[in-house]
Amino acid sequence: MRAIPLMLRCCARRQLALVTLLLAINMPVAAEVFQIADIRVEGLQRIAPGTVFNYLPVQVGDTVGDGVTGGIIRSLYQTGFFDDVRVEREGNVLVLWVRERPAIASIDITGNRDIDTKALTAALSDIGLKEGRVFDRSVLDRIEQELERQYFSRGKYGVLIQSTVSPLERNRVAVRIEITEGLTARIKQITIIGNEAFPEKELLKRFELGTTGWTSFYSKNDQYSKQKLAGDLETLRSFYLDRGFIRFDIKSTQVSISADKKEIYITVVIDEGEPYRIGDIKLAGEPSIPAEELFPLIQLKRGDFFSRRATTESSERISNLLGDRGYAFANVNTIPEIDEEARTVTVTFFVDSGQRVYVRRVNMKGNTRTRDEVLRREMRQLESAWFSAELVRKSRERLQRLGYFEDVTIETPAVPGSADQVDVDVTVTEKPAGNLSAGVGYSQSQGILLNASVTQNNFLGTGKRVSLGVNTSEATQLYQIAYTNPFYTVDGISRGFNVAYRETNFDELIGADYSTDVGVLGMNFGLPISETSRAGLGIRYQYTNFIAGNFSELAQEFVEENGNVFNDFILSASYTNDSRDTAIFPTKGGLRVLRADLTVPGSDLQYYKLTYQEQLYVPLTSRFVVSLSGDVGYGEGYGETESLPFFENYYAGGPRSVRGFVANSLGPREIGDDDPVGGNLRMAGSVELFAPAPGGAELAKTLRLGAFLDFGNVWQTDGSDLIEPIGFDIGNLRYSAGLSATWLSPIGALSISLAAPLNEEEGDETQVFQFGFGQTF
């Protein structure tokens, strides 16, 4: 029985001797220390020896021993260039044997439909997988894992990614990534467990995620996303907290996927708790504003259910009021005291106003061309005055509306060494001061549009606008020079001049046999009323040469009664209120314009025109906006002019009013020729639902989709017997519905619509598809 342990000990000695022998054979450098006389690198194919020398921690003349060789090997491995490194000695020569990693000769990606190949290739390049670089298998493994995560985030849990590395000549490899995306997993069911106060259907209405519906192709609400679920859970929490359930808790969330990875099931377990009502409301601390002014800002009532949102909003209103009164560093904290027995909450608003803060200086930065005075006259926050957060916000909005700057930022740093002073630092990024443009467009009503303009919105940095423009089409030719000084006086009264000449061929425009040549010389003033509203006054001289064709009895009759050359002086008054958040693709606010034009008594033609336009934008969600617009116009003659000159009439139909009908074709027509002549009364409007295009925030800035309902028409309340009589009747309104798209392309705006007339009548000219390209001025 003792022979077996002895044999084991003998075997162990042999194995130890063998290991010792192998280590001695493979020892990279002899234990003897030597001084390097030369360094030689063996095995290089693509990499230059100089590159290797740059990474070596030793050089000729250094002494090498056992402790140094390990550092040499680690340094060369860390470069990522080599698969194998050996260090040897030949006399006093240090010999480095290396085997290079292969270089990537080509990268081929197939099967990717959801992720663009160009974007994917760029991402791979940033990570380190690029043609010409050294191949690293660990990098490819990380890429496969990241690709899986990207497809998982898109709901494609059945994705299969297979990478193939094929060796090529000259120590190169070809990398092929084959992607089998599979089908997108859809949310099959969302279940909420534990809800008693509210039905599950009502709670799920608040979720962004949902089961497949008829809008899912656009909203993608049936595609699971961890981020979206987290947002929905927070929405659910807010829903309960805003209804008094202050002990609400989400116990667990489970997300499971079916075996075929096509269906996802979400289960949310909640504990509602009991609702709590507001027992009392208190103000504490040291508010610098009387409580009589603060309490109306608190939108809470005793006996109502506690609401976290109402409490937070009340706190913000108090803080904003204090900020507007100069207390820039005020703190308003909400302290709830819960009575478990009575199930009530006493809400205490603890107000610490701090010291009143004054503005020491208003500093302007970044305006290399624009004069300081142009910026300062827009500032509502003044130096040496109380600091007001509202005035700072209005100042920024006014600077942005100038159109001179790409970006405007305002910071309010505290003055060092002072507890009651701040500076207001305004930083702007200027746009190009001038604009030289030429363009080509097309409109179905006017044909090819050619335009060119030279514009200086900020002439010599003074804020004055100077423009020279030419616009020609088959129907219209316009030549215009304009000048506007927005601050003719220090109070913000503007003054402008306008010189224009327009030739209009109504035969090309609406098919009527007459034309006009109109020259205008005018001056106008603008008076600011509030931050968003403005009044305007103007006077202009207008020369009109009316040219009647041989086939229009209406035009010939007008020339016989009134002549064909007219010199008129026209007074104009207007009121504008523009509260839109932006002029391009607005999402909230509105635009209201009221305008009146009256020829001065003694003019060749005596008439007046009244026009009212209003647009209202109401955000439904963060993505959808409803637009409500209306337009009413009325004109009439007075004195020796019996009615509004028919070439000054209003028109309806087409992309600018009632889509689905040929432009300018609605309303009265000339008896005999059946040409549209417009009318002296117009009513039009639209209800449109806007949505940004799918594809990300960048595309949404330039492309907008809509679904609309248009209505409108024009009527002739008096006039010639040669006009087909259409008296005002609201029942004569024409309606159309359809889809629209507007794209702000680099060379101009492109708008298209598909509209179906809903109540066309005999004689109406319809046009389902309408579009326009380019811009006019």
Side-chain angles (χ1 to χ4, degrees), residues 527-531 533-535 575:
L527 175 66
I529 300 176
S530 69
E531 293 296 327
S533 60
R534 194 173 187 86
Y575 169 80

Side-chain angles (χ1 to χ4, degrees), residues 554 646 649 668-671 677-678 716 719-725:
L554 179 65
F646 70 92
N649 275 350
R669 293 176 174 269
E670 183 177 355
I671 296 176
V677 294
Q716 186 68 39
S720 173
D721 295 335
L722 297 175
I723 298 178
E724 179 183 332

Side-chain angles (χ1 to χ4, degrees), residues 283 287-296 321 325:
L283 275 174
S288 302
I289 298 177
E292 292 78 10
E293 294 188 50
L294 297 181
F295 266 112
L321 178 62
R325 298 289 179 86

Side-chain angles (χ1 to χ4, degrees), residues 465-483:
R465 177 185 175 89
V466 179
S467 65
L468 169 65
V470 177
N471 188 335
T472 66
S473 70
E474 296 176 5
T476 304
Q477 292 187 356
L478 172 66
Y479 309 91
Q480 186 174 23
I481 301 174
Y483 163 85

Side-chain angles (χ1 to χ4, degrees), residues 117-179:
T117 300
K118 185 179 293 185
L120 182 56
T121 303
L124 296 181
S125 175
D126 293 338
I127 297 174
L129 196 67
K130 183 180 180 180
E131 293 182 6
R133 290 189 181 180
V134 174
F135 173 71
D136 188 343
R137 180 71 210 191
S138 63
V139 172
L140 184 58
D141 293 339
R142 291 201 305 270
I143 289 171
E144 290 178 355
Q145 296 172 6
E146 180 59 29
L147 279 175
E148 279 190 351
R149 283 194 291 268
Q150 290 292 331
Y151 277 103
F152 287 172
S153 67
R154 287 169 163 79
K156 296 197 171 184
Y157 296 94
V159 63
L160 178 63
I161 300 174
Q162 185 174 1
S163 301
T164 305
V165 181
S166 304
L168 301 175
E169 59 183 5
R170 300 195 305 275
N171 196 26
R172 298 178 304 152
V173 295
V175 179
R176 179 179 177 84
I177 302 176
E178 298 181 8
I179 302 174

Side-chain angles (χ1 to χ4, degrees), residues 218-244:
Y218 176 80
S219 63
K220 310 296 184 185
N221 68 312
D222 59 348
Q223 295 185 12
Y224 170 75
S225 166
K226 185 177 181 180
Q227 293 78 13
K228 287 183 179 180
L229 179 58
D232 288 341
L233 294 179
E234 184 58 35
T235 300
L236 182 63
R237 187 186 306 276
S238 298
F239 176 83
Y240 273 95
L241 291 177
D242 292 340
R243 287 156 179 80

